[in-house]
PDB file of all heavy atoms in Angstrom:
ATOM      1  N   VAL F  23      35.839  51.659  60.422  1.00 96.00           N
ATOM      2  CA  VAL F  23      35.833  52.534  61.577  1.00 96.00           C
ATOM      3  C   VAL F  23      37.264  52.917  61.947  1.00 96.00           C
ATOM      4  O   VAL F  23      37.566  54.078  62.271  1.00 96.00           O
ATOM      5  CB  VAL F  23      35.110  51.826  62.774  1.00 96.00           C
ATOM      6  CG1 VAL F  23      35.275  52.651  64.025  1.00 96.00           C
ATOM      7  CG2 VAL F  23      33.599  51.668  62.456  1.00 96.00           C
ATOM      8  N   GLU F  24      38.175  51.935  62.010  1.00 95.00           N
ATOM      9  CA  GLU F  24      39.556  52.200  62.329  1.00 95.00           C
ATOM     10  C   GLU F  24      40.265  53.167  61.332  1.00 95.00           C
ATOM     11  O   GLU F  24      41.039  54.011  61.685  1.00 95.00           O
ATOM     12  CB  GLU F  24      40.356  50.895  62.366  1.00 95.00           C
ATOM     13  CG  GLU F  24      40.187  50.139  63.706  1.00 95.00           C
ATOM     14  CD  GLU F  24      40.910  50.738  64.859  1.00 95.00           C
ATOM     15  OE1 GLU F  24      41.614  51.739  64.645  1.00 95.00           O
ATOM     16  OE2 GLU F  24      40.818  50.199  66.013  1.00 95.00           O
ATOM     17  N   ASN F  25      39.822  52.969  60.014  1.00 94.00           N
ATOM     18  CA  ASN F  25      40.390  53.914  58.985  1.00 94.00           C
ATOM     19  C   ASN F  25      39.919  55.317  59.147  1.00 94.00           C
ATOM     20  O   ASN F  25      40.627  56.243  58.758  1.00 94.00           O
ATOM     21  CB  ASN F  25      40.119  53.303  57.592  1.00 94.00           C
ATOM     22  CG  ASN F  25      40.556  54.236  56.487  1.00 94.00           C
ATOM     23  OD1 ASN F  25      39.787  55.086  56.060  1.00 94.00           O
ATOM     24  ND2 ASN F  25      41.795  54.026  56.086  1.00 94.00           N
ATOM     25  N   GLY F  26      38.686  55.463  59.688  1.00 92.00           N
ATOM     26  CA  GLY F  26      38.084  56.827  59.798  1.00 92.00           C
ATOM     27  C   GLY F  26      37.325  57.206  58.519  1.00 92.00           C
ATOM     28  O   GLY F  26      36.872  58.358  58.436  1.00 92.00           O
ATOM     29  N   LEU F  27      37.087  56.286  57.626  1.00 90.00           N
ATOM     30  CA  LEU F  27      36.295  56.618  56.409  1.00 90.00           C
ATOM     31  C   LEU F  27      34.828  56.706  56.758  1.00 90.00           C
ATOM     32  O   LEU F  27      34.284  55.801  57.419  1.00 90.00           O
ATOM     33  CB  LEU F  27      36.494  55.443  55.373  1.00 90.00           C
ATOM     34  CG  LEU F  27      35.661  55.575  54.107  1.00 90.00           C
ATOM     35  CD1 LEU F  27      36.037  56.813  53.341  1.00 90.00           C
ATOM     36  CD2 LEU F  27      35.864  54.319  53.257  1.00 90.00           C
ATOM     37  N   GLU F  28      34.239  57.811  56.422  1.00 92.00           N
ATOM     38  CA  GLU F  28      32.789  58.001  56.687  1.00 92.00           C
ATOM     39  C   GLU F  28      31.988  57.104  55.731  1.00 92.00           C
ATOM     40  O   GLU F  28      32.267  56.966  54.548  1.00 92.00           O
ATOM     41  CB  GLU F  28      32.401  59.484  56.467  1.00 92.00           C
ATOM     42  CG  GLU F  28      33.000  60.385  57.481  1.00 92.00           C
ATOM     43  CD  GLU F  28      32.419  61.811  57.301  1.00 92.00           C
ATOM     44  OE1 GLU F  28      31.462  62.005  56.530  1.00 92.00           O
ATOM     45  OE2 GLU F  28      32.943  62.738  57.892  1.00 92.00           O
ATOM     46  N   PHE F  29      30.974  56.405  56.319  1.00 95.00           N
ATOM     47  CA  PHE F  29      30.159  55.584  55.467  1.00 95.00           C
ATOM     48  C   PHE F  29      28.783  55.479  56.032  1.00 95.00           C
ATOM     49  O   PHE F  29      28.502  55.601  57.206  1.00 95.00           O
ATOM     50  CB  PHE F  29      30.810  54.184  55.432  1.00 95.00           C
ATOM     51  CG  PHE F  29      30.863  53.480  56.685  1.00 95.00           C
ATOM     52  CD1 PHE F  29      29.924  52.480  57.080  1.00 95.00           C
ATOM     53  CD2 PHE F  29      31.923  53.679  57.619  1.00 95.00           C
ATOM     54  CE1 PHE F  29      30.025  51.798  58.292  1.00 95.00           C
ATOM     55  CE2 PHE F  29      32.000  53.036  58.799  1.00 95.00           C
ATOM     56  CZ  PHE F  29      31.055  52.101  59.168  1.00 95.00           C
ATOM     57  N   ASP F  30      27.821  55.376  55.099  1.00 96.00           N
ATOM     58  CA  ASP F  30      26.407  55.032  55.459  1.00 96.00           C
ATOM     59  C   ASP F  30      26.250  53.545  55.498  1.00 96.00           C
ATOM     60  O   ASP F  30      26.944  52.790  54.855  1.00 96.00           O
ATOM     61  CB  ASP F  30      25.448  55.593  54.389  1.00 96.00           C
ATOM     62  CG  ASP F  30      25.412  57.127  54.470  1.00 96.00           C
ATOM     63  OD1 ASP F  30      25.589  57.715  55.570  1.00 96.00           O
ATOM     64  OD2 ASP F  30      25.225  57.800  53.367  1.00 96.00           O
ATOM     65  N   GLU F  31      25.323  53.063  56.373  1.00 96.00           N
ATOM     66  CA  GLU F  31      25.083  51.645  56.543  1.00 96.00           C
ATOM     67  C   GLU F  31      23.768  51.255  55.945  1.00 96.00           C
ATOM     68  O   GLU F  31      22.737  51.960  56.165  1.00 96.00           O
ATOM     69  CB  GLU F  31      25.058  51.361  58.042  1.00 96.00           C
ATOM     70  CG  GLU F  31      26.329  51.681  58.729  1.00 96.00           C
ATOM     71  CD  GLU F  31      26.237  51.319  60.221  1.00 96.00           C
ATOM     72  OE1 GLU F  31      25.268  50.649  60.629  1.00 96.00           O
ATOM     73  OE2 GLU F  31      27.121  51.812  61.050  1.00 96.00           O
ATOM     74  N   LYS F  32      23.713  50.168  55.202  1.00 96.00           N
ATOM     75  CA  LYS F  32      22.484  49.570  54.652  1.00 96.00           C
ATOM     76  C   LYS F  32      22.529  48.065  55.048  1.00 96.00           C
ATOM     77  O   LYS F  32      23.361  47.329  54.571  1.00 96.00           O
ATOM     78  CB  LYS F  32      22.362  49.787  53.200  1.00 96.00           C
ATOM     79  CG  LYS F  32      22.149  51.269  52.845  1.00 96.00           C
ATOM     80  CD  LYS F  32      21.725  51.403  51.380  1.00 96.00           C
ATOM     81  CE  LYS F  32      21.407  52.888  51.036  1.00 96.00           C
ATOM     82  NZ  LYS F  32      21.010  53.052  49.632  1.00 96.00           N
ATOM     83  N   ILE F  33      21.616  47.686  55.876  1.00 96.00           N
ATOM     84  CA  ILE F  33      21.582  46.286  56.311  1.00 96.00           C
ATOM     85  C   ILE F  33      20.876  45.464  55.238  1.00 96.00           C
ATOM     86  O   ILE F  33      19.763  45.795  54.730  1.00 96.00           O
ATOM     87  CB  ILE F  33      20.808  46.157  57.631  1.00 96.00           C
ATOM     88  CG1 ILE F  33      21.616  46.845  58.778  1.00 96.00           C
ATOM     89  CG2 ILE F  33      20.550  44.700  58.005  1.00 96.00           C
ATOM     90  CD1 ILE F  33      20.896  46.819  60.110  1.00 96.00           C
ATOM     91  N   VAL F  34      21.567  44.341  54.897  1.00 96.00           N
ATOM     92  CA  VAL F  34      21.006  43.391  53.892  1.00 96.00           C
ATOM     93  C   VAL F  34      21.115  42.036  54.540  1.00 96.00           C
ATOM     94  O   VAL F  34      22.195  41.571  54.912  1.00 96.00           O
ATOM     95  CB  VAL F  34      21.796  43.371  52.608  1.00 96.00           C
ATOM     96  CG1 VAL F  34      21.025  42.564  51.534  1.00 96.00           C
ATOM     97  CG2 VAL F  34      21.984  44.865  52.108  1.00 96.00           C
TER      98      VAL F  34
END
Side-chain angles (χ1 to χ4, degrees):
V23 172
E24 280 285 357
N25 176 268
L27 175 63
E28 292 187 11
F29 62 98
D30 289 328
E31 301 177 13
K32 292 192 177 182
I33 293 177
V34 188

